[in-house]
Every structure is written in C-alpha cells, then in structure tokens.
Amino acid sequence: MADLFRERRRGAHLSLNTTEPMSFGYGFISGLLSAILGIAGFGAVLSLHFPQYLTAAELRPFYSLSYLRAIIHVTLVASFLLGSVGAFLRANKTLALTGIGFTLAAALLGGSHVPVAGELGSGSWFGLDFFVLNLLLYSAVFIPLERLFALRAEQPVFRRQWLVDLTYFFINSLLIEVLAILTLKPALILFDWARIEWLSSTVASLPLVIQVPAILLVADFTQYWVHRTFHVVPFLWPFHAIHHSAVEMDWLAGSRLHLVDVILTRGLTYVPIFVLAFSEQALVVYVFLVAAQATFIHANVRWEFRPLRRIVATPAFHHWHHSAEPEAVDKNFAVHTPIWDILFGTCYLPDRWPTAYGLCGGRDVPSRWVTQLVYPFRRRSRGE
C-alpha cells in the first residue's frame, strides 16, 4: 500500500481526463465531492457579499442567516478535508485542488463569517444562490444514481463536453430572475384578455390534488406542440438542434438549452396555465415536478419502468427522442406523459435502448457555449 501511494505521488498531475479507477478508495469520490462543495461554498459566500446583485428575491424570505452561516462553515470544512483526502489518494489532483482552491478563496472572502452587504430587499437580475442550491441538490441526487444504476457504466462523470453543459446549467440558473421576467410576464400581460371568468374561478377552486395532475396535462399538451414546432419549422430548428447535439446522455445534458429555446418554450407553456388561473400552490408544485422530471429523463440510468412506460415519460422514452437513429427522428416530444405522442402518432418506444445519440445524419453544431449561442442566427435551415 505504501508503494502504491508513493507511485501515485510520483505520477501527480492535473488533467480533466483520467485513467485511474473511480471506485471507492481511489480519491475520485472525495475529490468530486470536494469540488462540488467548494464551488457551492464559494458561491454562497459571494452571495452574502453581494446579496442585492446575486440572490433571487423570491428565495430570500426562506433564509435564516444563522443556519446559513453554519451550513457554509460545514460545507467549506468538508470540502477542504475531502480535497485533502482526494489529493493524497489520487495521482490526478484536479478535482481535489479545485475544491481546496475554491474553499481557500471563500475563506479569504470571509468564509461563514462574511458580513452581509447591501440591501436584501432590493431587486436582482441574478440568482447565484439558486445556482448553488441547484448544484448541491442535483449533484447529491443524480451523480450517485448514475454511478449505482448506470445504463452505460463505462461513461465517466466528466464525459465529452461536460463543461459545455455545466456552463448551460450555470447560466440558466444564474439568470433565473431574467428568465422569469421573459417567460412569466408575457403570459400574464399579453393573455389576460383570454381568461373566461367562470372557467378560471372553477379551476382555481379545485383542490390541489386535482389541480396538479390537470396542470401537468395542460402544460405537457402545450409543450408537446411547442417542442414539435421547434423540430419542423426551419427557422426554429437551429435553436433546438443545440439541445440535440449532445452525444452522451446524463442528467447534466438536459441543461443544454439555447436561451431562445428556453424563453419560447417556457413562455408559451405558461400561457394556458395563467389563462386557466391555476393556483399559486399548483404552479409551485408544477415548476418543481417539471424541473425534476426534465432532468431525470435525460439521466444515464437503466430504469425502464415498463408498467408505466405508456403513462409516464421515462428515461427510456426520452432517450429515444435524442437517438441518432433515423427511425427515431421527430419522436417522443412530451416531457410528462407519452399520451400525447400516442394520440398524435409520434410515439416510438422499442424494447431496447438507442445505440447512439446526437444529430441524425451528421454533426454541424459547434462545440463551445459561445459559438452555440450565436449558431442559430447564422444557420437558417435544419440541415440534419
């Protein structure tokens, strides 16, 4: 064992790729946890430094400063300790040093004792705190699931283009306030005339256990047709082709969405929700469920849920939507239930998993976030 450690120290290096084992006892798990916690802790400290700029106004009432400081302290200490373990056990020290580096940066900014600056009640365009919460929650849930129940066990956590998808995850989380304005406000302002009083009153008076399934069906029906339109309208396809350019599937791949795609899809999906006047509680539950399910159906897990496969959208159902096989093109548009695809003739769910993902017929989407952002404005044809 001592010889093994000496060999690892002699081969110490920094790289985003690794040939070392990723199982327990080789420093990968501790290094990964250190990096996640270090980034989250650093983001939390920055949010306390500049709450008026970096925190989502809707989340602030739920914060208890004393508990928040304790959580930040535990997060930073855990990141440093796990990073130290990872650096000791593993020759590739990238993850460990990333976690330690962000932890030290957070400590230099004041750590858990950082004074709260700015006026907490003021507005903000960014939600760094929302990104931190998302990063911790999704990482804690999906990374273990994809390691324990992987569909493709050979696919690493840091697969091809993971950094591009992490950028999408960061940007879409950070811009939560901007996206809320661009998606919620148009539905409220532009379609207020479409409300029918007796229908709105009836929907709003329904119990939550009825409103939630109803809002899922209504939203999924709308999203189905918006999604399908992105596939068939040449002008819109380049925006959505970016989402389909991912050649490996996992929970993070679901974040690869162009901002125009996000704004149009969410904005149009919210229209019938507000026209029908679903309650605020039902809307909150819907937002939580759509975020969870939209992430889960992209995950690298082997669960098929066969008894439910024609009722609930599953990873098997949505993986076929991302398949590069010709027979799967323009299939499985729904997010919550395959019912709409079955009714409108677009359901494709054979008794196997796709052999390849990405754009059918070739890949012409650039591989970097910035170039993907401008790509749809340069390409006006579907060009699969």
Side-chain angles (χ1 to χ4, degrees):
M1 182 65 71
D3 292 338
L4 178 61
F5 288 145
R6 280 195 294 271
E7 183 179 344
R8 290 179 184 173
R9 285 196 293 271
R10 282 197 300 269
H13 63 281
L14 300 176
S15 174
L16 293 178
N17 300 312
T18 184
T19 57
E20 296 176 83
M22 292 187 290
S23 54
F24 183 80
Y26 289 90
F28 174 78
I29 297 175
S30 55
L32 178 62
L33 290 174
S34 173
I36 292 172
L37 293 175
I39 293 171
F42 178 75
V45 171
L46 272 183
S47 296
L48 289 183
H49 254 299
F50 309 104
Q52 71 273 34
Y53 303 118
L54 298 178
T55 61
E58 291 80 2
L59 296 178
R60 293 172 194 161
F62 299 99
Y63 295 148
S64 169
L65 197 56
S66 58
Y67 284 114
L68 187 59
R69 292 190 185 280
I71 292 171
I72 292 174
H73 182 75
V74 171
T75 298
L76 295 177
V77 170
S79 174
F80 185 83
L81 293 177
L82 289 166
S84 300
V85 172
F88 178 74
L89 292 176
R90 199 165 185 81
N92 184 356
K93 306 187 185 302
T94 303
L95 289 173
L97 293 183
T98 297
I100 292 173
F102 274 101
T103 298
L104 293 178
L108 290 173
L109 289 174
S112 59
H113 299 290
V114 59
V116 177
E119 176 56 49
L120 284 176
S122 60
S124 168
W125 290 101
F126 303 110
L128 185 60
D129 53 341
F130 185 68
F131 164 72
V132 170
L133 293 171
N134 270 354
L135 179 66
L136 289 174
L137 179 61
Y138 283 116
S139 297
V141 172
F142 286 104
I143 291 178
L145 283 180
E146 292 187 338
R147 290 297 90 197
L148 295 172
F149 307 101
L151 171 64
R152 291 174 172 81
E154 73 282 357
Q155 179 176 304
V157 173
F158 299 104
R159 40 79 179 169
R160 286 174 291 178
Q161 295 200 333
W162 70 272
L163 193 56
V164 174
D165 293 333
L166 182 62
T167 303
Y168 278 102
F169 183 84
F170 173 71
I171 296 296
N172 291 340
S173 298
L174 187 70
L175 296 181
I176 177 177
E177 297 282 357
V178 177
L179 292 175
I181 292 173
L182 294 177
T183 57
L184 294 173
K185 295 297 184 182
L188 282 169
I189 297 172
L190 299 178
F191 292 90
D192 184 62
W193 61 269
R195 285 192 172 186
I196 302 173
E197 186 60 35
W198 68 266
L199 181 59
S200 299
S201 301
T202 301
V203 172
S205 65
L206 293 172
L208 191 63
V209 292
I210 296 178
Q211 283 199 51
V212 170
I215 198 173
L216 287 172
L217 286 172
V218 168
D220 205 35
F221 175 80
T222 308
Q223 185 274 337
Y224 170 91
W225 285 108
V226 174
H227 191 177
R228 189 168 177 176
T229 301
F230 266 99
H231 275 251
V232 300
V233 175
F235 174 76
L236 293 176
W237 168 247
F239 293 100
H240 192 62
I242 290 170
H243 183 62
H244 281 268
S245 67
V247 295
E248 291 177 297
M249 293 291 285
D250 62 9
W251 69 275
L252 194 56
S255 301
R256 186 182 297 201
L257 289 165
H258 193 281
L259 288 173
V260 172
D261 191 347
V262 173
I263 292 168
L264 288 178
T265 301
R266 291 185 189 175
L268 292 171
T269 302
Y270 283 134
V271 169
I273 292 175
F274 285 112
V275 168
L276 292 173
F278 285 98
S279 68
E280 185 177 346
Q281 294 90 338
L283 179 59
V284 170
V285 174
Y286 162 73
V287 170
F288 172 80
L289 290 177
V290 72
Q293 190 167 13
T295 304
F296 178 63
I297 58 180
H298 291 89
N300 177 31
V301 292
R302 59 178 180 266
W303 298 330
E304 297 186 60
F305 300 98
R306 283 186 173 272
L308 301 175
R309 65 190 311 206
R310 294 194 173 272
I311 301 173
V312 178
T314 64
F317 173 82
H318 195 70
H319 276 223
W320 276 109
H321 179 69
H322 282 265
S323 173
E325 299 177 35
E327 58 270 25
V329 172
D330 295 340
K331 304 293 183 182
N332 300 2
F333 294 108
V335 170
H336 298 297
T337 173
I339 290 174
W340 306 123
D341 287 281
I342 294 171
L343 286 175
F344 300 116
T346 55
C347 184
Y348 184 77
L349 196 55
D351 291 325
R352 62 182 180 87
W353 292 85
T355 56
Y357 302 106
L359 295 169
C360 179
R363 175 191 175 90
D364 63 351
V365 174
S367 59
R368 296 181 180 179
W369 181 83
V370 173
T371 50
Q372 288 183 1
L373 184 65
V374 300
Y375 165 80
F377 301 102
R378 295 186 293 107
R379 299 297 301 267
R380 298 300 180 187
S381 62
R382 176 161 181 169
E384 285 188 336

